[in-house]
Amino acid sequence: MSGQGTAGPHKRLLFVAANPSIDRLYEVDRFVPGAIHRPQRSVAVAGGKGLNAARAAATLGGSVIAVGIVAGRAGDWIEERLAELGIESRLARGTGETRTCFSVLDRSSGVMTEIYERGEQIGAAAWDSLEAIVWAELERGDVAAVSLSGSLPPGAPPDGFARIARIALASSRTVPVLADTYGPALPALLGERPAILKVNAAEAGEASGVSVADAQSAAGAGRILRDAGAACVIVTVGPGGAVVVGADDPIHLIPPDLRGAYPVGSGDAFLGGLAIAVARGESMVEAARLGLAAGIANALVPGAGELDPASIAGILEGIRLAPL
């Protein structure tokens, strides 16, 4: 893996949550547009992709630090919740209020409806503070990997994730970058040659220009993104598992026939499991295998980035590998 040094389980994993949120899940017996609904269950977590991935990694036993930008009372709640969970965090403060994202599960159909706020505008000072925090944590010398995921908040530099990747590469101990982002932030980040890019089928298709519908087309899109700068590309294809495109022939990771009702956050849990395996020095395929198991486990329980670690071993046994 490009930029990979020796890393053990004592090394920390740094998750950047540039645009965090309070993630709320509501379960209703039947969702009817225009009607009043009284949820049968509700769950709220400190979320956004970066924090979901950090929480999943911590649940799997990783030593985690979450860094990001928060604001207002919602930001206070996120900081307090992370502390309650025992997750180390260093958060820059912005103005306004941190966003809230909603998911509604219709139990009668299994369909999930999602409403994601974009977030409020951040100022240059908040982004500068975030970069300073990342630099300071990297200079401690015990970070095994930096994870960059999700969207950039409004007002952030368009190349914000690329700038943080440069900080990781310029630190006194070069640290590999794991990326899970999309849209305008991605091309600049690929120019910094991240060690791993993890994207879903839609994101891979948008970034590569290849319509991704199965493992073969995922491999084609992955090759394009690898050639654009990523040392390794992992494309997730929903129930079809994931495809790993590295220096060797692509590998298709085929999941067991196990479907959960709570898919929101499964990609984030995948990234959390992936980061854990990277810190252990495992191969790209084995890292993706743990990531896939974590993503499946996430879908079995309510709450984005939530999972039962006791389920991982059984799921791992059911994942098959097939060369493409």
Side-chain angles (χ1 to χ4, degrees):
M1 179 176 59
S2 176
Q4 174 73 26
T6 57
H10 64 286
K11 294 290 188 179
R12 294 187 303 157
L13 296 166
L14 191 154
F15 290 86
V16 176
N19 198 18
S21 64
I22 297 176
D23 285 356
R24 293 190 177 275
L25 167 69
Y26 299 107
E27 294 186 31
V28 299
D29 287 336
R30 184 167 178 264
F31 182 72
V32 180
I36 294 174
H37 298 82
R38 292 180 173 83
Q40 306 304 310
R41 175 189 289 179
S42 63
V43 178
V45 298
K49 293 182 73 67
L51 295 187
N52 292 340
R55 192 168 55 259
T59 301
L60 291 171
S63 178
V64 167
I65 179 167
V67 304
I69 302 171
V70 296
R73 294 293 297 275
D76 294 340
W77 187 90
I78 287 173
E79 192 165 14
E80 291 164 5
R81 185 62 184 143
L82 292 173
E84 290 170 5
L85 295 172
I87 296 177
E88 182 185 3
S89 67
R90 288 192 63 195
L91 303 173
R93 301 294 301 200
T95 58
E97 195 74 35
T98 292
R99 65 188 180 135
T100 299
C101 297
F102 301 90
S103 299
V104 181
L105 174 64
D106 182 336
R107 288 179 170 179
S108 68
S109 65
V111 173
M112 187 85 76
T113 299
E114 300 170 64
I115 302 172
Y116 290 175
E117 294 181 3
R118 292 185 66 243
E120 296 190 25
Q121 192 89 1
I122 67 164
W127 188 265
D128 290 344
S129 294
L130 175 63
E131 290 189 357
I133 290 170
V134 171
W135 178 263
E137 292 302 321
L138 289 171
E139 284 303 290
R140 290 175 58 177
D142 64 345
V143 172
V146 172
S147 167
L148 303 171
S149 60
S151 59
L152 291 168
D159 63 343
F161 283 150
R163 288 167 55 156
I164 292 178
R166 285 195 291 272
I167 292 172
L169 295 174
S171 62
S172 56
R173 176 186 175 274
T174 299
V175 177
V177 172
L178 317 183
D180 180 8
T181 189
Y182 53 89
L186 182 54
L189 178 56
L190 285 173
E192 300 303 323
R193 302 194 58 79
I196 305 173
L197 171 67
K198 185 206 81 68
V199 285
N200 63 30
E203 293 161 348
E206 177 187 5
S208 68
V210 173
S211 178
V212 177
D214 53 22
Q216 288 288 351
S217 53
R223 290 188 185 96
I224 292 171
L225 296 174
R226 179 198 60 193
D227 294 345
C232 175
V233 177
I234 300 170
V235 181
T236 60
V237 286
V243 174
V244 179
V245 181
D248 301 320
D249 291 338
I251 300 293
H252 183 196
L253 279 68
I254 305 170
D257 187 16
L258 183 61
R259 303 284 182 86
Y262 309 97
V264 175
S266 287
D268 308 330
F270 191 119
L271 183 63
L274 183 72
I276 289 284
V278 167
R280 294 174 182 164
E282 296 183 13
S283 71
M284 286 298 95
V285 171
E286 287 305 308
R289 191 163 169 260
L290 180 57
L292 180 57
I296 294 169
N298 173 94
L300 299 178
V301 299
E306 301 288 318
L307 55 89
D308 178 2
S311 68
I312 295 295
I315 296 171
L316 281 171
E317 290 179 0
I319 296 174
R320 296 181 292 117
L321 306 181
L324 289 173

